[in-house]
Amino acid sequence: MEFKEALTFRHACKVFDENKKISKDEFGEILEAGRLAPSAMNMQNWEFEIIKDKELLSKVKKACWDQIQITSASELMVIYAKISELKNDEYIKKIVALKCKSKEDQEAYFNKVKAFIKNNVGDSDEQIYGWSRAQCYLAVQNMMMQAAVLGIDSCPLEGFVESELNKVLEINPKEKRVAILLAFGYKIKPTTPKFRLNLDEIVKYR
Ligand SMILES: Cc1cc2nc3c(=O)[nH]c(=O)nc-3n(C[C@H](O)[C@H](O)[C@H](O)COP(=O)(O)O)c2cc1C
């Protein structure tokens, strides 16, 4: 599928065909698209959790405004925005070492990351969460577009009550917070049209 075709294919699917399952290989490609997403300073501020347990899924659905996508999807993913790891020098060093091989390069890049977090992000949990969450959306978009290329429908879900979801998923919000949920599967209703502002309403030149 051409990229432009995939852009129109992708839509927020409101209900999936419960009987149609995504193959393991294709879901693997979707996960890989998430892994390859860009992030500021390459900090990869995300974690993907796939919920398979039926009982847990129905509890998650309740915490997500009872949205039917949660339980009709073939795969339901929770995307977490990392918090504590971005405050942990060991995590930052691990990421830095992926790219920088010499001790000098590692130290220089480590200091750059620390300065970026201090000056551009901030050190409160709320600030780190906001920053990490922004990176998560890039992974989400990559995964939705990879799904579309494979003819797989998706729906991003921000409609949830975080305190309820934390209880159900047993999350410690000092460690990580839910950024968004992502449901994948096959639609049972036709793709909805796009309702967007015109380009001249959103693009400015000066
Ligand atoms: C961050 C985000 C959160 C969203 N949360 C929900 C949601 O909880 N439930 C839902 O049905 N759609 C949700 N949507 C889908 C949007 O309503 C949808 O993308 C928008 O109306 C444009 O329609 P389209 O995606 O079909 O082109 C969300 C979309 C985004 C980007």
Side-chain angles (χ1 to χ4, degrees):
M1 194 186 290
E2 291 289 328
F3 190 70
K4 199 166 176 196
E5 206 184 326
L7 283 174
T8 38
F9 176 92
R10 189 220 55 80
H11 72 296
C13 181
K14 302 297 176 187
V15 52
F16 297 95
D17 183 342
E18 289 183 29
N19 300 315
K20 277 181 90 175
K21 301 295 171 201
I22 301 170
S23 76
K24 206 171 166 227
D25 283 357
E26 289 191 322
F27 193 62
E29 286 188 54
I30 293 171
L31 290 172
E32 181 65 356
R35 189 179 79 90
L36 294 178
S39 55
M41 297 274 162
N42 196 30
M43 281 301 115
Q44 305 169 50
N45 318 43
W46 45 67
E47 196 182 297
F48 312 139
E49 183 177 53
I50 325 304
I51 313 282
K52 305 296 285 181
D53 185 273
K54 289 244 181 306
E55 210 179 313
L56 185 55
L57 277 170
S58 73
K59 288 182 186 165
V60 169
K61 178 171 173 266
K62 276 200 192 116
C64 296
W65 306 352
D66 229 12
Q67 297 190 70
I68 192 71
Q69 293 96 318
I70 307 281
T71 45
S72 62
S74 167
E75 303 291 341
L76 192 272
M77 187 188 295
V78 183
I79 291 104
Y80 295 101
K82 289 182 173 183
I83 297 173
S84 58
E85 290 206 293
L86 278 307
K87 294 167 115 179
N88 177 351
D89 288 354
E90 292 315 306
Y91 177 78
I92 297 173
K93 282 179 186 163
K94 178 178 159 184
I95 300 282
V96 166
L98 294 173
K99 181 179 168 188
C100 303
K101 296 303 163 203
S102 76
K103 278 260 171 295
E104 296 74 44
D105 285 355
Q106 283 177 8
E107 206 179 307
Y109 198 60
F110 174 79
N111 290 335
K112 208 169 147 187
V113 174
K114 292 293 280 186
F116 176 81
I117 294 175
K118 184 167 175 271
N119 301 325
N120 294 50
V121 178
D123 53 14
S124 74
D125 283 4
E126 196 62 38
Q127 286 166 317
I128 293 177
Y129 167 63
W131 175 53
S132 286
R133 193 179 194 189
Q135 319 307 310
C136 288
Y137 287 112
L138 299 171
V140 166
Q141 184 65 8
N142 262 21
M143 290 192 271
M144 291 193 299
M145 288 310 297
Q146 175 63 80
V149 165
L150 296 168
I152 294 168
D153 298 293
S154 62
C155 187
L157 297 143
E158 227 176 30
F160 54 80
V161 179
E162 192 184 358
S163 55
E164 286 180 23
L165 211 43
N166 283 350
K167 264 189 232 151
V168 165
L169 296 169
E170 298 172 351
I171 302 305
N172 172 3
K174 292 203 86 54
E175 183 196 326
K176 59 188 180 184
R177 281 174 64 183
V178 177
I180 188 168
L181 287 85
L182 201 41
F184 296 98
Y186 295 92
K187 61 180 165 280
I188 52 171
K189 290 183 183 161
T191 302
T192 45
K194 297 265 174 272
F195 303 102
R196 299 293 195 267
L197 296 171
N198 294 320
L199 267 185
D200 62 6
E201 293 172 285
I202 56 167
V203 181
K204 303 283 176 241
Y205 295 93
R206 61 168 154 171

